[in-house]
Coordinates of all heavy atoms in Angstrom, one line a residue:
M1 N 99.2 79.4 110.8 CA 99.1 79.5 109.3 C 100.4 79.9 108.7 O 100.9 81.0 108.9 CB 98.1 80.6 108.9 CG 96.6 80.2 109.1 SD 95.5 81.5 108.8 CE 95.5 82.3 110.3
K2 N 101.0 78.9 108.1 CA 102.4 79.1 107.7 C 102.6 79.5 106.2 O 103.7 79.9 105.8 CB 103.2 77.8 108.0 CG 102.6 76.6 107.4 CD 103.5 75.4 107.8 CE 102.9 74.1 107.3 NZ 103.8 72.9 107.6
Y3 N 101.5 79.4 105.4 CA 101.7 79.7 104.0 C 101.2 81.1 103.6 O 100.0 81.3 103.8 CB 101.0 78.6 103.1 CG 101.5 77.2 103.3 CD1 100.8 76.3 104.1 CD2 102.7 76.8 102.7 CE1 101.3 75.0 104.2 CE2 103.2 75.6 102.9 CZ 102.5 74.6 103.6 OH 102.9 73.4 103.8
E4 N 102.0 81.9 103.1 CA 101.6 83.1 102.4 C 101.0 82.8 101.1 O 101.5 81.9 100.4 CB 102.8 84.1 102.2 CG 103.4 84.6 103.5 CD 102.5 85.5 104.3 OE1 101.7 86.2 103.7 OE2 102.7 85.5 105.6
N5 N 99.8 83.3 100.7 CA 99.2 83.0 99.5 C 99.9 83.8 98.3 O 99.9 85.0 98.3 CB 97.8 83.4 99.5 CG 97.1 83.1 98.2 OD1 97.6 82.4 97.3 ND2 95.9 83.7 98.0
P6 N 100.6 83.1 97.4 CA 101.3 83.8 96.3 C 100.4 84.5 95.4 O 100.8 85.3 94.6 CB 102.0 82.6 95.6 CG 101.2 81.4 95.9 CD 100.7 81.6 97.3
Y7 N 99.1 84.2 95.4 CA 98.1 84.9 94.5 C 97.4 86.0 95.1 O 96.5 86.6 94.5 CB 97.1 83.8 94.0 CG 97.8 82.6 93.4 CD1 97.7 81.4 94.1 CD2 98.5 82.6 92.2 CE1 98.3 80.2 93.7 CE2 99.1 81.5 91.8 CZ 99.0 80.3 92.5 OH 99.7 79.2 92.0
H8 N 97.8 86.4 96.3 CA 97.0 87.4 97.1 C 97.2 88.8 96.4 O 98.3 89.2 96.1 CB 97.5 87.4 98.5 CG 96.9 88.5 99.3 ND1 97.7 89.5 99.9 CD2 95.6 88.9 99.5 CE1 96.9 90.4 100.5 NE2 95.6 90.0 100.3
R9 N 96.1 89.5 96.4 CA 96.2 90.9 95.9 C 95.4 91.8 96.9 O 94.3 91.4 97.4 CB 95.6 91.1 94.5 CG 96.7 90.9 93.5 CD 96.1 91.3 92.1 NE 95.5 90.1 91.5 CZ 94.5 90.2 90.7 NH1 93.9 91.3 90.4 NH2 94.0 89.1 90.1
K10 N 95.9 92.9 97.3 CA 95.3 93.8 98.2 C 94.0 94.4 97.7 O 93.9 94.7 96.5 CB 96.2 94.9 98.7 CG 97.2 94.4 99.7 CD 98.1 95.6 100.3 CE 99.1 95.0 101.3 NZ 100.2 95.9 101.5
V11 N 93.0 94.5 98.6 CA 91.7 95.1 98.2 C 91.5 96.3 99.1 O 91.6 96.1 100.4 CB 90.6 94.1 98.3 CG1 89.2 94.7 97.9 CG2 90.8 92.8 97.5
K12 N 91.1 97.4 98.6 CA 90.8 98.6 99.4 C 89.5 98.4 100.1 O 88.5 97.9 99.5 CB 90.8 99.8 98.6 CG 92.2 100.4 98.3 CD 92.2 101.6 97.5 CE 93.6 102.0 97.1 NZ 93.7 103.1 96.1
G13 N 89.4 98.9 101.3 CA 88.1 98.9 102.0 C 87.6 97.6 102.4 O 86.4 97.3 102.6
S14 N 88.5 96.6 102.6 CA 88.1 95.3 103.0 C 88.3 95.1 104.5 O 88.9 95.8 105.2 CB 88.9 94.3 102.2 OG 90.3 94.4 102.5
Y15 N 87.7 94.0 105.0 CA 87.8 93.6 106.4 C 88.6 92.3 106.5 O 88.5 91.5 105.5 CB 86.4 93.4 107.0 CG 85.5 94.6 106.8 CD1 84.7 94.7 105.8 CD2 85.6 95.7 107.7 CE1 83.8 95.8 105.6 CE2 84.8 96.8 107.6 CZ 83.9 96.9 106.5 OH 83.1 98.0 106.4
T16 N 89.2 92.0 107.6 CA 90.0 90.8 107.7 C 89.1 89.8 108.5 O 88.6 90.1 109.6 CB 91.3 91.1 108.4 OG1 92.0 92.1 107.7 CG2 92.2 89.8 108.4
M17 N 89.0 88.6 108.0 CA 88.2 87.5 108.6 C 89.1 86.3 108.8 O 89.9 85.9 107.9 CB 87.1 87.2 107.7 CG 86.1 86.1 108.2 SD 84.8 85.8 107.1 CE 83.4 86.6 108.0
L18 N 88.9 85.7 110.0 CA 89.6 84.5 110.2 C 88.7 83.3 110.0 O 87.5 83.3 110.5 CB 90.1 84.5 111.7 CG 90.9 83.3 112.2 CD1 92.2 83.1 111.5 CD2 91.2 83.5 113.7
V19 N 89.1 82.3 109.3 CA 88.3 81.1 109.0 C 88.8 79.9 109.7 O 90.0 79.6 109.6 CB 88.2 80.8 107.5 CG1 87.3 79.6 107.2 CG2 87.7 82.1 106.7
L20 N 88.0 79.3 110.5 CA 88.5 78.2 111.3 C 87.7 76.9 110.9 O 86.6 76.9 110.5 CB 88.2 78.4 112.8 CG 88.7 79.7 113.4 CD1 87.6 80.7 113.7 CD2 89.5 79.5 114.7
C21 N 88.4 75.8 111.2 CA 87.7 74.5 111.0 C 86.6 74.4 112.0 O 86.8 74.6 113.2 CB 88.7 73.4 111.2 SG 88.0 71.7 111.2
G22 N 85.4 74.0 111.5 CA 84.2 73.8 112.4 C 84.3 72.6 113.3 O 83.7 72.6 114.4
R23 N 85.2 71.7 113.0 CA 85.3 70.5 113.8 C 86.3 70.6 114.9 O 86.0 70.4 116.0 CB 85.6 69.3 112.9 CG 85.5 68.0 113.7 CD 86.2 66.9 113.0 NE 85.4 66.2 111.9 CZ 85.9 65.3 111.1 NH1 87.1 64.9 111.2 NH2 85.1 64.7 110.2
C24 N 87.5 71.0 114.5 CA 88.6 71.1 115.5 C 89.1 72.5 115.8 O 90.0 72.6 116.7 CB 89.8 70.2 115.0 SG 90.8 71.0 113.7
K25 N 88.5 73.5 115.2 CA 88.8 74.9 115.5 C 90.2 75.3 115.1 O 90.7 76.4 115.5 CB 88.6 75.3 117.0 CG 87.3 74.8 117.6 CD 86.1 75.3 116.8 CE 84.8 74.7 117.4 NZ 83.6 74.8 116.4
N26 N 90.8 74.6 114.3 CA 92.1 74.9 113.7 C 92.0 76.2 112.8 O 91.0 76.3 112.1 CB 92.7 73.7 112.9 CG 94.1 73.9 112.5 OD1 94.9 74.5 113.2 ND2 94.5 73.3 111.4
E27 N 92.9 77.1 112.9 CA 92.9 78.3 112.0 C 93.3 77.9 110.6 O 94.4 77.3 110.4 CB 93.8 79.3 112.5 CG 93.4 79.9 113.9 CD 94.3 81.0 114.4 OE1 95.3 81.3 113.8 OE2 93.9 81.5 115.5
I28 N 92.4 78.1 109.6 CA 92.7 77.7 108.3 C 93.1 78.8 107.3 O 94.1 78.7 106.6 CB 91.4 77.0 107.7 CG1 90.8 75.9 108.6 CG2 91.6 76.5 106.3 CD1 91.8 74.8 108.8
V29 N 92.4 79.9 107.4 CA 92.6 81.0 106.4 C 92.4 82.4 107.0 O 91.5 82.6 107.8 CB 91.6 80.9 105.2 CG1 91.6 82.1 104.4 CG2 92.0 79.7 104.3
L30 N 93.3 83.3 106.6 CA 93.1 84.7 106.9 C 92.6 85.3 105.6 O 93.3 85.2 104.6 CB 94.4 85.3 107.4 CG 94.3 86.6 108.2 CD1 93.5 86.5 109.4 CD2 95.7 87.2 108.5
Y31 N 91.5 85.9 105.7 CA 90.8 86.3 104.4 C 90.5 87.8 104.4 O 90.0 88.4 105.4 CB 89.5 85.5 104.3 CG 88.8 85.7 103.0 CD1 89.4 85.2 101.8 CD2 87.6 86.3 102.9 CE1 88.8 85.4 100.6 CE2 87.0 86.5 101.6 CZ 87.6 86.0 100.5 OH 86.9 86.2 99.3
Q32 N 90.6 88.4 103.2 CA 90.3 89.8 103.1 C 88.9 89.9 102.5 O 88.7 89.7 101.3 CB 91.4 90.3 102.0 CG 91.7 91.8 102.1 CD 92.8 92.0 101.1 OE1 93.8 92.6 101.5 NE2 92.7 91.6 99.9
K33 N 88.0 90.2 103.3 CA 86.6 90.2 102.8 C 86.0 91.6 102.5 O 86.3 92.5 103.2 CB 85.7 89.5 103.9 CG 84.3 89.3 103.4 CD 83.6 88.3 104.3 CE 82.2 88.0 103.7 NZ 81.5 89.0 103.0
V34 N 85.3 91.6 101.4 CA 84.7 92.9 101.0 C 83.2 92.8 101.5 O 82.5 91.9 101.2 CB 84.7 93.1 99.5 CG1 83.9 94.3 99.1 CG2 86.2 93.2 99.1
G35 N 82.8 93.7 102.4 CA 81.4 93.7 102.9 C 81.4 92.9 104.2 O 82.2 92.0 104.4
R36 N 80.4 93.1 105.0 CA 80.3 92.5 106.3 C 79.4 91.3 106.3 O 79.0 90.8 107.4 CB 79.8 93.5 107.3 CG 80.8 94.5 107.7 CD 81.9 93.9 108.6 NE 82.7 94.9 109.3 CZ 83.6 94.6 110.2 NH1 84.0 93.3 110.4 NH2 84.3 95.5 110.8
G37 N 79.0 90.8 105.2 CA 78.1 89.6 105.1 C 78.8 88.3 105.4 O 79.9 88.3 105.8
R38 N 78.0 87.3 105.4 CA 78.5 85.9 105.6 C 79.5 85.5 104.5 O 79.4 85.9 103.4 CB 77.3 84.9 105.7 CG 76.5 85.0 106.9 CD 75.4 84.0 106.8 NE 75.9 82.6 106.7 CZ 75.2 81.6 106.2 NH1 74.0 81.8 105.8 NH2 75.8 80.4 106.0
L39 N 80.3 84.6 104.9 CA 81.3 84.1 104.0 C 80.7 82.8 103.3 O 80.5 81.8 104.0 CB 82.6 83.7 104.7 CG 83.7 83.2 103.8 CD1 84.3 84.4 103.1 CD2 84.8 82.6 104.7
L40 N 80.5 82.9 102.0 CA 80.0 81.7 101.3 C 81.0 81.2 100.3 O 81.0 80.0 100.0 CB 78.7 82.1 100.5 CG 77.6 82.6 101.4 CD1 76.4 83.1 100.5 CD2 77.1 81.5 102.3
R41 N 81.9 82.0 99.9 CA 83.0 81.6 99.0 C 84.2 82.5 99.3 O 84.0 83.6 99.7 CB 82.6 81.6 97.5 CG 82.2 83.0 97.0 CD 82.1 83.0 95.5 NE 80.9 82.2 95.0 CZ 80.1 82.6 94.0 NH1 80.3 83.7 93.4 NH2 79.2 81.8 93.6
M42 N 85.3 81.9 99.0 CA 86.6 82.7 99.2 C 87.3 82.8 97.8 O 87.6 81.8 97.2 CB 87.5 82.0 100.1 CG 87.0 81.8 101.5 SD 88.3 81.3 102.7 CE 88.6 79.6 102.1
Y43 N 87.4 84.1 97.4 CA 88.2 84.3 96.1 C 89.6 84.1 96.4 O 90.2 84.5 97.4 CB 87.9 85.7 95.6 CG 86.5 85.9 95.3 CD1 85.7 86.7 96.1 CD2 85.9 85.3 94.2 CE1 84.3 86.9 95.8 CE2 84.5 85.5 93.9 CZ 83.8 86.3 94.7 OH 82.4 86.5 94.4
V44 N 90.3 83.3 95.5 CA 91.7 82.9 95.8 C 92.6 84.2 96.0 O 93.4 84.2 96.9 CB 92.2 82.1 94.6 CG1 93.7 81.8 94.7 CG2 91.4 80.8 94.5
D45 N 92.4 85.2 95.2 CA 93.3 86.4 95.3 C 93.0 87.2 96.6 O 93.7 88.2 96.8 CB 93.3 87.2 94.0 CG 91.9 87.8 93.7 OD1 91.0 87.6 94.5 OD2 91.8 88.4 92.6
R46 N 92.0 86.9 97.4 CA 91.7 87.6 98.6 C 92.2 86.8 99.8 O 92.0 87.3 101.0 CB 90.2 87.9 98.7 CG 89.8 88.9 97.7 CD 88.4 89.4 97.9 NE 87.9 90.2 96.8 CZ 86.6 90.4 96.6 NH1 85.7 90.0 97.5 NH2 86.2 91.2 95.6
I47 N 92.7 85.6 99.6 CA 93.2 84.9 100.7 C 94.6 85.4 101.0 O 95.5 85.5 100.2 CB 93.3 83.4 100.4 CG1 91.9 82.8 100.2 CG2 94.0 82.6 101.5 CD1 91.8 81.4 99.7
I48 N 94.8 85.8 102.3 CA 96.1 86.5 102.6 C 97.1 85.4 103.0 O 98.2 85.3 102.5 CB 95.9 87.4 103.8 CG1 94.9 88.5 103.5 CG2 97.3 88.0 104.3 CD1 94.4 89.3 104.7
R49 N 96.7 84.5 103.9 CA 97.6 83.5 104.5 C 96.7 82.3 104.7 O 95.5 82.4 104.9 CB 98.2 84.0 105.8 CG 99.4 83.3 106.2 CD 99.9 83.9 107.5 NE 100.1 85.4 107.4 CZ 99.8 86.2 108.5 NH1 99.4 85.7 109.6 NH2 100.0 87.5 108.4
S50 N 97.4 81.1 104.8 CA 96.6 79.9 104.9 C 97.4 78.8 105.6 O 98.6 78.8 105.5 CB 96.1 79.4 103.5 OG 95.7 78.1 103.5
S51 N 96.7 77.9 106.2 CA 97.5 76.7 106.8 C 97.5 75.6 105.7 O 98.1 74.5 106.0 CB 96.8 76.2 108.0 OG 95.5 75.8 107.8
V52 N 97.0 75.8 104.5 CA 97.1 74.9 103.4 C 97.9 75.6 102.3 O 97.7 76.7 102.1 CB 95.6 74.6 102.9 CG1 95.7 73.6 101.7 CG2 94.8 74.0 104.0
D53 N 98.8 74.8 101.7 CA 99.6 75.4 100.7 C 98.8 75.6 99.4 O 98.3 74.6 98.8 CB 100.8 74.5 100.4 CG 101.7 75.1 99.3 OD1 101.6 76.2 99.0 OD2 102.7 74.4 98.9
L54 N 98.6 76.9 99.0 CA 97.7 77.2 97.8 C 98.5 77.3 96.5 O 97.9 77.5 95.5 CB 96.9 78.5 98.1 CG 96.0 78.5 99.3 CD1 95.4 79.8 99.5 CD2 94.9 77.4 99.1
S55 N 99.8 77.2 96.6 CA 100.6 77.5 95.4 C 100.3 76.5 94.3 O 100.4 76.8 93.1 CB 102.1 77.5 95.8 OG 102.5 76.2 96.3
G56 N 100.0 75.3 94.6 CA 99.7 74.3 93.6 C 98.2 74.3 93.2 O 97.7 73.4 92.5
K57 N 97.4 75.3 93.7 CA 96.0 75.4 93.4 C 95.2 74.1 93.7 O 94.7 73.5 92.8 CB 95.8 75.9 92.0 CG 96.4 77.2 91.7 CD 95.9 77.8 90.4 CE 96.5 79.2 90.3 NZ 95.9 79.9 89.1
P58 N 95.2 73.7 94.9 CA 94.5 72.4 95.3 C 93.0 72.5 94.9 O 92.4 73.6 95.0 CB 94.7 72.2 96.8 CG 95.1 73.6 97.3 CD 95.8 74.3 96.1
G59 N 92.4 71.4 94.5 CA 91.0 71.4 94.1 C 90.1 71.4 95.3 O 88.9 71.7 95.1
A60 N 90.6 71.2 96.5 CA 89.7 71.3 97.7 C 90.6 71.7 98.9 O 91.8 71.5 98.8 CB 89.1 69.9 98.0
L61 N 89.9 72.3 99.8 CA 90.6 72.7 101.1 C 90.2 71.7 102.2 O 89.0 71.7 102.5 CB 90.3 74.1 101.5 CG 90.8 75.3 100.6 CD1 90.5 76.6 101.2 CD2 92.3 75.1 100.3
H62 N 91.2 71.0 102.7 CA 90.9 70.2 103.9 C 91.6 70.7 105.1 O 92.7 71.3 105.0 CB 91.4 68.8 103.6 CG 90.6 68.0 102.6 ND1 90.9 68.0 101.3 CD2 89.6 67.1 102.8 CE1 90.0 67.2 100.7 NE2 89.2 66.7 101.6
C63 N 91.1 70.5 106.3 CA 91.8 70.9 107.5 C 93.0 70.1 107.6 O 92.9 68.9 107.6 CB 90.8 70.7 108.7 SG 91.7 71.0 110.2
P64 N 94.2 70.7 107.8 CA 95.4 69.9 107.9 C 95.5 69.2 109.2 O 96.3 68.3 109.4 CB 96.5 71.0 107.8 CG 95.9 72.3 108.0 CD 94.4 72.2 107.7
N65 N 94.7 69.5 110.1 CA 94.7 68.9 111.5 C 93.7 67.7 111.5 O 94.1 66.6 111.9 CB 94.3 69.9 112.5 CG 94.4 69.4 113.9 OD1 95.4 68.8 114.3 ND2 93.4 69.6 114.7
C66 N 92.5 67.8 111.1 CA 91.5 66.7 111.2 C 91.0 66.2 109.9 O 90.2 65.3 109.8 CB 90.3 67.2 112.1 SG 89.2 68.3 111.3
N67 N 91.4 66.8 108.8 CA 91.1 66.4 107.4 C 89.6 66.7 107.0 O 89.2 66.2 106.0 CB 91.4 64.9 107.2 CG 91.7 64.6 105.8 OD1 92.3 65.5 105.1 ND2 91.3 63.5 105.3
E68 N 88.9 67.5 107.8 CA 87.6 67.9 107.4 C 87.6 68.6 106.0 O 88.4 69.5 105.8 CB 87.0 68.8 108.5 CG 85.6 69.3 108.2 CD 84.5 68.4 108.7 OE1 84.7 67.2 108.8 OE2 83.4 68.9 109.0
L69 N 86.6 68.3 105.2 CA 86.5 69.0 103.9 C 85.9 70.4 104.2 O 84.7 70.4 104.7 CB 85.7 68.2 102.9 CG 85.4 69.0 101.6 CD1 86.7 69.2 100.8 CD2 84.4 68.2 100.7
L70 N 86.5 71.5 103.8 CA 86.0 72.8 104.1 C 85.5 73.6 102.9 O 84.6 74.4 103.0 CB 87.2 73.6 104.8 CG 87.8 73.0 106.1 CD1 89.0 73.7 106.5 CD2 86.7 72.9 107.2
A71 N 86.1 73.3 101.8 CA 85.8 74.1 100.6 C 86.2 73.4 99.3 O 87.2 72.6 99.4 CB 86.4 75.5 100.6
T72 N 85.5 73.6 98.2 CA 86.0 73.1 96.9 C 86.2 74.2 96.0 O 85.5 75.2 96.0 CB 84.9 72.1 96.4 OG1 83.7 72.7 96.4 CG2 84.9 70.8 97.2
R73 N 87.1 74.0 95.1 CA 87.5 75.1 94.1 C 86.6 75.1 92.9 O 86.1 74.1 92.4 CB 88.9 74.9 93.7 CG 89.7 76.1 93.4 CD 91.1 75.8 93.2 NE 91.3 75.2 91.9 CZ 91.9 75.7 90.9 NH1 92.5 76.9 91.0 NH2 92.1 75.1 89.8
M74 N 86.3 76.3 92.5 CA 85.5 76.4 91.2 C 86.0 77.6 90.4 O 86.6 78.6 90.9 CB 84.0 76.6 91.5 CG 83.7 78.0 92.1 SD 81.9 78.2 92.3 CE 81.3 78.3 90.6
A75 N 85.8 77.5 89.1 CA 86.2 78.6 88.2 C 85.0 79.5 88.0 O 83.9 79.0 87.8 CB 86.7 78.1 86.9
L76 N 85.2 80.8 88.0 CA 84.1 81.7 87.8 C 84.3 82.5 86.5 O 85.5 82.8 86.1 CB 84.0 82.7 89.0 CG 83.8 82.1 90.4 CD1 84.1 83.2 91.4 CD2 82.4 81.6 90.5
K77 N 83.2 82.8 85.9 CA 83.4 83.4 84.6 C 83.7 84.9 84.7 O 84.4 85.5 83.9 CB 82.1 83.2 83.7 CG 82.0 81.7 83.2 CD 80.8 81.5 82.4 CE 80.7 80.0 82.0 NZ 79.4 79.5 82.0
R78 N 83.1 85.5 85.7 CA 83.2 87.0 85.8 C 84.1 87.4 86.9 O 84.3 86.7 87.9 CB 81.8 87.6 86.0 CG 81.0 87.5 84.7 CD 79.5 87.7 85.0 NE 79.3 88.9 85.9 CZ 78.1 89.3 86.3 NH1 77.1 88.7 85.8 NH2 78.0 90.4 87.1
K79 N 84.7 88.6 86.8 CA 85.5 89.2 87.8 C 86.7 88.4 88.3 O 87.8 88.6 87.8 CB 84.6 89.6 89.0 CG 84.2 91.1 88.9 CD 83.1 91.3 89.9 CE 83.6 92.2 91.1 NZ 82.5 92.5 92.1
H80 N 86.4 87.6 89.3 CA 87.5 86.8 89.8 C 87.5 85.5 89.1 O 86.5 84.9 88.8 CB 87.3 86.6 91.3 CG 87.3 87.8 92.0 ND1 88.4 88.4 92.6 CD2 86.3 88.7 92.3 CE1 88.1 89.5 93.2 NE2 86.8 89.7 93.0
T81 N 88.7 85.0 88.8 CA 88.7 83.7 88.0 C 88.5 82.5 88.9 O 88.0 81.5 88.4 CB 90.1 83.6 87.3 OG1 91.1 83.9 88.2 CG2 90.1 84.6 86.1
E82 N 89.0 82.5 90.1 CA 88.9 81.3 90.9 C 88.4 81.6 92.3 O 88.7 82.6 92.9 CB 90.3 80.7 91.0 CG 90.7 80.0 89.7 CD 92.2 79.8 89.6 OE1 92.9 80.5 90.3 OE2 92.6 79.0 88.8
A83 N 87.7 80.6 92.9 CA 87.2 80.8 94.2 C 87.0 79.4 94.9 O 86.9 78.4 94.2 CB 85.8 81.5 94.2
Y84 N 87.0 79.4 96.2 CA 86.7 78.2 96.9 C 85.3 78.4 97.5 O 85.0 79.3 98.2 CB 87.7 78.0 98.1 CG 89.0 77.4 97.6 CD1 90.1 78.3 97.4 CD2 89.2 76.1 97.3 CE1 91.3 77.8 96.9 CE2 90.4 75.6 96.8 CZ 91.4 76.4 96.6 OH 92.6 76.0 96.1
V85 N 84.4 77.5 97.2 CA 83.1 77.5 97.7 C 83.1 76.7 99.0 O 83.5 75.6 99.1 CB 82.1 76.8 96.7 CG1 80.7 76.8 97.2 CG2 82.2 77.5 95.4
M86 N 82.6 77.4 100.1 CA 82.6 76.8 101.4 C 81.6 75.7 101.6 O 80.5 75.8 101.0 CB 82.4 77.9 102.4 CG 83.3 79.2 102.3 SD 85.0 78.8 102.4 CE 85.2 78.1 104.1
V87 N 82.0 74.7 102.3 CA 81.0 73.6 102.6 C 80.2 74.1 103.8 O 80.8 74.4 104.9 CB 81.8 72.3 102.9 CG1 80.8 71.2 103.4 CG2 82.6 71.9 101.7
R88 N 78.9 74.1 103.7 CA 78.0 74.5 104.7 C 78.2 73.8 106.0 O 78.3 72.5 106.0 CB 76.6 74.4 104.3 CG 75.8 75.7 104.2 CD 74.5 75.4 103.7 NE 73.4 75.8 104.6 CZ 72.1 75.7 104.4 NH1 71.7 75.1 103.2 NH2 71.2 76.0 105.2
G89 N 78.3 74.5 107.1 CA 78.4 73.9 108.4 C 79.8 73.3 108.8 O 80.0 72.8 109.9
A90 N 80.8 73.4 107.9 CA 82.1 72.8 108.1 C 83.1 73.8 108.7 O 84.2 73.4 109.0 CB 82.6 72.2 106.8
Y91 N 82.7 75.1 108.8 CA 83.7 76.1 109.2 C 83.1 77.1 110.1 O 81.8 77.3 110.2 CB 84.3 76.8 108.0 CG 83.2 77.5 107.2 CD1 83.1 78.9 107.3 CD2 82.3 76.9 106.4 CE1 82.1 79.6 106.6 CE2 81.3 77.5 105.7 CZ 81.2 78.9 105.8 OH 80.3 79.6 105.1
N92 N 83.9 77.9 110.8 CA 83.5 79.0 111.6 C 84.3 80.2 111.1 O 85.4 80.1 110.6 CB 83.8 78.8 113.1 CG 83.0 77.7 113.7 OD1 83.5 76.7 114.2 ND2 81.7 77.7 113.6
T93 N 83.7 81.4 111.3 CA 84.4 82.6 111.0 C 84.5 83.6 112.2 O 83.6 83.5 113.1 CB 83.8 83.3 109.8 OG1 82.4 83.7 110.1 CG2 83.8 82.5 108.5
R94 N 85.4 84.5 112.1 CA 85.6 85.5 113.2 C 86.3 86.7 112.6 O 87.2 86.6 111.8 CB 86.5 84.9 114.3 CG 86.5 85.7 115.5 CD 87.6 85.2 116.5 NE 87.4 83.8 116.9 CZ 88.4 83.0 117.3 NH1 89.6 83.4 117.2 NH2 88.1 81.8 117.6
W95 N 85.7 87.9 112.9 CA 86.4 89.1 112.4 C 87.6 89.4 113.3 O 87.6 89.2 114.5 CB 85.4 90.3 112.5 CG 84.2 90.2 111.6 CD1 83.0 90.0 112.0 CD2 84.2 90.3 110.2 NE1 82.1 89.9 110.9 CE2 82.9 90.1 109.8 CE3 85.2 90.5 109.2 CZ2 82.5 90.1 108.4 CZ3 84.8 90.5 107.9 CH2 83.5 90.3 107.5
V96 N 88.7 89.9 112.6 CA 89.9 90.2 113.4 C 90.3 91.6 113.1 O 89.9 92.2 112.1 CB 91.1 89.2 113.1 CG1 90.8 87.9 113.7 CG2 91.3 89.1 111.6
Ligands
ZN1 ZN1 89.9 70.5 111.7

């Protein structure tokens, strides 16, 4: 993962989660997750590092290795302004 996320902000009491491509197991995102539940969406400001360049705010996240569609971007009205909604079955996660 070569890109530091320029929009990242630290969150207290969070856990670090690794998100991998479900197809080729490429490491996609290092994520600061609040709570131990499943990952359904990734808030942009909680992404620490990524193998996709987020500086241009891409509308979707594809695996840079196999091009699998992993998530699509959406705007949220409350709290966080932007998030990537994960595509079901397209990714794996692991606590680190
Ligand atoms: Zn892949």
Side-chain angles (χ1 to χ4, degrees):
M1 284 176 277
K2 56 180 174 178
Y3 298 103
E4 296 290 330
N5 177 16
Y7 309 109
H8 176 238
R9 273 188 269 147
K10 281 187 180 161
V11 183
K12 278 182 187 169
S14 61
Y15 306 94
T16 308
M17 179 181 254
L18 182 64
V19 181
L20 305 109
C21 172
R23 190 199 273 174
C24 75
K25 313 303 177 199
N26 189 31
E27 295 183 356
I28 307 296
V29 163
L30 197 61
Y31 189 69
Q32 208 174 231
K33 188 163 186 325
V34 175
R36 285 288 196 180
R38 286 180 56 203
L39 183 74
L40 299 174
R41 59 169 68 139
M42 296 191 296
Y43 299 107
V44 173
D45 61 4
R46 292 186 190 166
I47 295 173
I48 301 165
R49 203 181 305 147
S50 162
S51 59
V52 179
D53 185 6
L54 298 174
S55 62
K57 301 193 173 185
L61 294 185
H62 288 88
C63 174
N65 187 48
C66 74
N67 208 36
E68 176 89 334
L69 174 65
L70 303 170
T72 53
R73 214 169 71 112
M74 71 175 291
L76 301 167
K77 286 181 184 142
R78 288 163 47 177
K79 262 167 111 181
H80 299 270
T81 48
E82 286 159 339
Y84 285 98
V85 179
M86 305 303 295
V87 176
R88 239 176 122 178
Y91 63 101
N92 296 123
T93 59
R94 190 190 300 155
W95 296 108
V96 290

